[in-house]
Amino acid sequence: MRRFFNTLTRQQEEFHPLEDGKVRMYICGPTVWNFAHIGNFRTFVFGDILRRYLKYKGYELTHVMNLTDIDDRIINEAAAKSISIDEFTAPYTQYFLEDFDALGNQRPEVMPRATHHIPEMIEIISTLLANDHAYESDGSIYYRIAAFPEYGKLSKINFSGNITGGSERIDTDKYEKEDARDFALWKLVGPDDEPGWDAPFGRGRPGWHIECSAMAMKYLGETFDIHAGGQDLQFPHHENEIAQSEGATGKQFAKYWIHSEFLKIDDVTMSKSKGNFFTFRDLREQGYSALAIRYLLLSVPTRKQLNFTFEGLQGAESTVERLRNFRQLVKEGGDLSGSEGVGADVGQIAKTAIGRFESAMDDDFNTAAALAAIHDMVREVNTALSKAGLSGEERDAVLDAISRFDSVLGIFGPEEAEMLDADIEDLIEERQCARRDRNFARSDEIRDLLAEKGIILEDTKDGVRWKRK
Ligand code: AMP
Ligand code: ZN
């Protein structure tokens, strides 16, 4: 039974999607103003694990992850370079996607950009103005928190006092607000200021929170299953998303909320502003593999903090290598003896590992326990392998378990692609030419290359025949 911690209720809950067999989920994506650091990627790798596990369990998925391509930092940096915000964000969007892919993450079904959804944001703000959940002050539009008594239900913050400050990202607008807690939905800009969009309530640009309400509801409907993001987004961002969306529709926005804990370094949160960060590229340049970085990021369950160390990363590097070697060994060790294999237990070992893996993932996505199940299987099968080869059936059972684990975690790396028949025949043809030219070095080289890929050549009087090992 799938259970996980819902921030909204502060409880572990059984997961029941709104629609049988289908899951609609939204994960707050990156702000594309710079290179994402590996702390950001811890949150996105968790999003990927969540996605893959739901698919593994057979759910049909609509997964949305936005790209925030407008905020004050972006506007300031683009202005400083005298380029448009599109020109400024394009390369960072590209870098983000390259790193995201290289880390083995599957692309969400929808990756909408904030600046492409301004009309949707304007529509929600208009509704909020019409039903008194928003008001105008000095040309900007603010959310009226007093109109939403449930405000605070996600973060459980007591709002009886004055709550400005206390968070790096809390809205500290300089304009007149009815209440210090109110936040900007739309910020007035001058007639010639860029970026700016015309709206019935005046030319302006959106506040930060409204984009996620607009994009989530556009692609997932007014109520959907899961909303996730990093711990720091719980307040004010997610609290404000709820206020905006539920204030506009009168319906529950998201049923389950999941928040990832931070990646730390020397026990301090990794962040751009503190300067204590590594990007994915920094680590790749130092020679660490994408697979090891992914392994490290997912090795600790998402609701626990993870402290980054280079020893930990080196450890992850040797672990992923061991896993890869194990898969190779199982492939090669299968059916070698032609016997019945090492005995009854290997199939059972694989089955037990799958059971433990699923129970761990069902228990609030406990990736650490899921990895322990995999490592125990590796150890036990290695012991069995040291005694004899595996039977074909045993080999298939272990390979099947590996491919199940990997469809969720993505830590074994891509399988070596089998050579296509056409490529094999091209190489054989080239080898024949080399032999005719008495270039035996090349001809031997080709034979060895094919042998490495498991292709055996047989010279017959009718020409060369080949078969796969
Ligand atoms: P940003 O690009 O700043 O909007 O952040 C993208 C995502 O990364 C958000 O979900 C943040 O909560 C998350 N995040 C930021 N810093 C960290 C960190 N040190 N560890 C884990 N997640 C983080
Ligand atoms: Zn968001």
Side-chain angles (χ1 to χ4, degrees):
M1 193 50 74
R2 279 156 292 290
R3 297 179 69 83
F4 56 82
F5 186 84
N6 184 356
T7 316
L8 192 60
T9 57
R10 293 290 192 278
Q11 274 175 15
Q12 296 252 3
E13 283 182 43
E14 257 175 38
F15 177 57
H16 296 290
L18 295 156
E19 206 179 323
D20 254 0
K22 290 195 176 157
V23 179
R24 287 172 283 148
M25 75 169 181
Y26 187 90
I27 299 187
C28 290
T31 309
V32 282
W33 72 292
N34 210 317
F35 291 97
H37 57 66
I38 54 164
N40 303 131
F41 278 115
R42 180 184 190 205
T43 296
F44 299 129
V45 167
F46 169 69
D48 185 57
I49 301 290
L50 174 58
R51 166 191 177 81
R52 286 164 174 251
Y53 192 59
L54 291 168
K55 280 174 60 174
Y56 176 93
K57 283 288 171 182
Y59 293 108
E60 197 184 301
L61 202 72
T62 310
H63 169 190
V64 180
M65 180 179 79
N66 68 300
L67 300 168
T68 298
D69 61 353
I70 174 166
D71 81 345
D72 288 346
R73 293 169 299 187
I74 291 174
I75 293 169
N76 294 339
E77 301 254 348
K81 292 189 160 67
S82 306
I83 54 177
S84 71
I85 60 169
D86 266 1
E87 283 167 322
F88 177 72
T89 57
Y92 292 114
T93 305
Q94 179 67 27
Y95 302 143
F96 173 78
L97 292 176
E98 283 170 14
D99 295 357
F100 185 85
D101 293 346
L103 272 165
N105 299 304
Q106 295 178 351
R107 296 261 185 123
E109 279 67 33
V110 194
M111 289 202 285
R113 298 170 54 154
T115 52
H116 294 186
H117 295 78
I118 305 288
E120 289 84 349
M121 300 185 213
I122 291 176
E123 204 180 309
I124 300 174
I125 299 171
S126 302
T127 307
L128 291 171
L129 279 168
N131 71 11
D132 283 338
H133 281 69
Y135 61 91
E136 186 263 353
S137 174
D138 282 346
S140 290
I141 311 292
Y142 293 93
Y143 189 87
R144 176 179 284 122
I145 286 179
F148 190 69
E150 289 173 80
Y151 193 76
K153 68 179 173 181
L154 179 71
S155 54
K156 317 281 189 242
I157 294 176
N158 178 357
F159 289 101
S160 47
N162 184 341
I163 51 92
T164 46
S167 159
E168 275 170 50
R169 275 179 166 182
I170 198 162
D171 237 331
T172 45
D173 292 290
K174 44 190 181 301
Y175 308 108
E176 260 325 286
K177 295 191 277 188
E178 287 179 4
D179 182 325
R181 301 175 303 170
D182 292 349
F183 58 91
L185 295 165
W186 191 253
K187 300 181 180 183
L188 173 77
V189 303
D192 300 320
D193 284 345
E194 288 296 345
W197 288 268
D198 290 325
F201 34 82
R203 183 177 160 80
R205 60 183 170 85
W208 169 35
H209 316 292
I210 191 69
E211 64 171 88
C212 286
S213 288
M215 292 185 273
M217 292 199 285
K218 170 162 182 177
Y219 296 103
L220 301 173
E222 291 177 341
T223 304
F224 56 92
D225 299 294
I226 302 176
H227 194 314
Q231 189 60 36
D232 59 328
L233 299 185
Q234 203 184 118
F235 180 81
H237 184 53
H238 290 161
E239 197 70 66
N240 291 352
E241 277 189 47
I242 293 177
Q244 295 162 157
S245 311
E246 299 189 2
T249 67
K251 296 180 191 149
Q252 181 172 32
F253 180 49
K255 197 172 163 196
Y256 301 91
W257 288 81
I258 305 179
H259 290 97
S260 306
E261 263 302 341
F262 274 157
L263 180 71
K264 298 201 152 192
I265 181 158
D266 299 326
D267 291 315
V268 178
T269 294
M270 184 176 282
S271 80
K272 275 272 150 55
S273 55
K274 295 197 182 78
N276 60 346
F277 64 90
F278 291 104
T279 65
F280 172 70
R281 285 154 199 250
D282 294 335
L283 298 180
R284 289 289 291 124
E285 268 166 29
Q286 293 188 36
Y288 295 99
S289 70
L291 222 48
I293 300 169
R294 180 176 174 92
Y295 184 95
L296 183 71
L297 294 179
L298 64 76
S299 60
V300 171
T302 197
R303 288 196 317 105
K304 289 212 171 88
Q305 290 179 353
L306 165 59
N307 196 37
F308 174 84
T309 61
F310 279 98
E311 295 80 66
L313 185 53
Q314 265 143 21
E317 198 71 75
S318 34
T319 305
V320 291
E321 198 180 329
R322 201 164 57 238
L323 292 175
R324 279 181 79 83
N325 291 342
F326 174 73
R327 181 174 61 190
Q328 196 53 34
L329 190 73
V330 172
K331 277 189 185 162
E332 289 162 6
D335 236 359
L336 280 189
S337 61
S339 71
E340 293 88 66
V342 292
D345 283 336
V346 171
Q348 192 53 46
I349 291 171
K351 215 166 142 192
T352 306
I354 294 171
R356 281 180 57 199
F357 172 83
E358 291 186 8
S359 318
M361 292 302 291
D362 282 345
D363 176 18
D364 206 14
F365 310 106
N366 189 342
T367 45
L371 289 172
I374 298 174
H375 292 308
D376 285 347
M377 179 187 88
V378 170
R379 203 169 15 83
E380 289 167 34
V381 174
N382 269 331
T383 308
L385 263 170
S386 66
K387 295 183 190 136
L390 300 176
S391 70
E393 214 173 292
E394 288 167 339
R395 184 190 66 167
D396 291 349
V398 179
L399 291 178
D400 172 59
I402 292 175
S403 83
R404 281 170 193 250
F405 302 146
D406 218 37
S407 69
V408 178
L409 301 180
I411 49 174
F412 281 81
E415 303 229 23
E416 270 193 39
E418 277 202 346
M419 279 187 101
L420 298 174
D421 288 6
D423 294 337
I424 296 169
E425 272 153 28
D426 284 352
L427 277 172
I428 292 176
E429 179 63 35
E430 193 190 332
R431 177 168 170 268
Q432 296 300 82
C433 292
R435 274 157 53 126
R436 273 198 297 276
D437 299 344
R438 308 191 68 73
N439 182 354
F440 296 113
R442 177 65 187 148
S443 123
D444 288 350
E445 201 174 273
I446 293 173
R447 176 184 277 272
D448 292 347
L449 180 78
L450 288 167
E452 238 173 68
K453 300 277 179 194
I455 311 297
I456 300 165
L457 301 185
E458 212 183 320
D459 293 307
T460 71
K461 60 178 175 22
D462 304 321
V464 180
R465 291 225 192 101
W466 64 269
K467 62 175 186 196
R468 292 182 200 270
K469 204 162 39 177

